[in-house]
Amino acid sequence: MRRFLFPLAIFLVLAGFLAVGLRLNPREVPSPLIGKPVPAFRLAQLHASDKSISPEDMRGKVWLLNVWASWCVSCKQEHPVLIDLNRQNRIPIVGLNYKDERGAAITWLNQHGGDPYAVSAFDADGRVGIDFGVYGVPETFLIDKAGTIRYKHIGPVTEEALKSKILPLAEELSRG
Amino acid sequence: MADLLLLAMRKSALALRRFLVLAFSTFILAPAFAAEGGAAQPLGDPVVEARVNRLAEELRCLTCMGQSIADSQSSFSSDMKREIRGMIVAGKSDKEIIDFMVQRYGDFVLYRPPVKSTTWLLWGGPFLLLVIALAFLAVKLRKRSAQAGSELSESEHRQAASLLGKSEGDGK
């Protein structure tokens, strides 16, 4: 009986490691930008190419930066959630329209229920996206009043992610 | 009947050979030609390109798990290569370029992550396992040699001698 104990112990340890490993999402790479100042940029606005937008303009507010594109399939999934969030008027959402075409992006917004963004920055070649460490769209950053990145959500924003993590943290940051 | 069978076998052998040739040409040769076609594109300065490739091999493509930026054709990788190329042309050192990537994408982007408090298990784990296995082996071997080398007691000697004597006696 005792000689089975050792292999059994090894098996249990291995099974434990695999159980944890299988639950991890390999696409969720922790961002080194959490706790760092938001990368500086000044980009043309999506809807008005003669106007610009910069994180500086958002100083003093707690805000979300949502990276999106008309070619991004899972952006469709989060779009209604963002529209709903915008309606609640709880936190301003700034869009970063990533590697897109102006016409396609605006058409996409019109076709998918409207524009949830206070303003969208137009990052045609994706250079600003690289500064944010963007590797898969959509990605969403929570930025505090001082312009520090506090949280990053990878993949489509869900009601649950908003309720359990993003909005409570945003409220805490607004009070502080 | 046997002729028919032979014919059928020869036919299927031919079909198999044709299939293998086709498979070989599509899966082995075609990518080789494709790679040649890719390399034929005008790429500018070969010295710069060699550096781009060397750096790209050190960096992980984050959208296509398990491939380096050099190996991958994804748009993420081509953006990264464009950035690397731009920084090389701007006179940045290899270390500056790698640091640029780590600042944005974290240590995960490196195929050879630095040794630090969060990665010591990653680097040391295999050696740790080796030490444990060697210790286990040493204990086992010592136990075994202790058993083999143990002296027989007086009564066991007598018993052995009598058994041997008996068997010799039987043999005669």
Side-chain angles (χ1 to χ4, degrees), chain B residues 86-117:
Chain B
M87 282 187 273
I88 289 173
V89 171
K92 295 269 167 68
S93 74
D94 286 2
K95 193 182 169 298
E96 281 174 311
I97 295 171
I98 295 289
D99 285 348
F100 173 93
M101 295 299 173
V102 172
Q103 270 166 27
R104 284 157 181 75
Y105 294 98
D107 288 336
F108 191 75
V109 80
L110 300 177
Y111 264 114
R112 288 187 290 176
V115 183
K116 54 185 191 185
S117 61

Side-chain angles (χ1 to χ4, degrees), chain B residues 66-136:
Chain B
Q67 254 187 329
S68 77
I69 284 173
D71 293 335
S72 157
Q73 305 285 321
S74 73
S75 82
F76 175 82
S77 296
S78 65
D79 282 1
M80 288 299 123
K81 277 185 254 186
R82 183 195 64 193
E83 286 301 307
I84 295 170
R85 196 171 292 125
M87 282 187 273
I88 289 173
V89 171
K92 295 269 167 68
S93 74
D94 286 2
K95 193 182 169 298
E96 281 174 311
I97 295 171
I98 295 289
D99 285 348
F100 173 93
M101 295 299 173
V102 172
Q103 270 166 27
R104 284 157 181 75
Y105 294 98
D107 288 336
F108 191 75
V109 80
L110 300 177
Y111 264 114
R112 288 187 290 176
V115 183
K116 54 185 191 185
S117 61
T118 49
T119 57
W120 73 264
L121 193 62
L122 181 71
W123 283 100
F127 298 104
L128 199 69
L129 283 178
L130 183 70
V131 168
I132 291 172
L134 283 177
F136 188 73

Side-chain angles (χ1 to χ4, degrees), chain B residues 45-67:
Chain B
D45 190 348
V47 181
V48 170
E49 286 314 309
R51 260 185 83 192
V52 169
N53 261 324
R54 196 161 42 73
L55 286 166
E57 272 170 14
E58 292 284 319
L59 298 169
R60 186 190 309 276
C61 165
L62 290 179
T63 49
C64 34
M65 300 285 132
Q67 254 187 329

Side-chain angles (χ1 to χ4, degrees), chain B residues 2-19:
Chain B
D3 278 0
L4 260 177
L5 197 68
L6 210 68
L7 194 70
M9 274 169 71
R10 189 176 293 170
K11 261 203 167 158
S12 57
L14 256 175
L16 181 67
R17 196 192 309 176
R18 223 173 271 155
F19 170 75

Side-chain angles (χ1 to χ4, degrees), chain A residues 29-44:
Chain A
V29 179
S31 173
L33 290 169
I34 310 287
K36 300 255 168 68
V38 57
F41 68 84
R42 184 160 285 282
L43 284 173

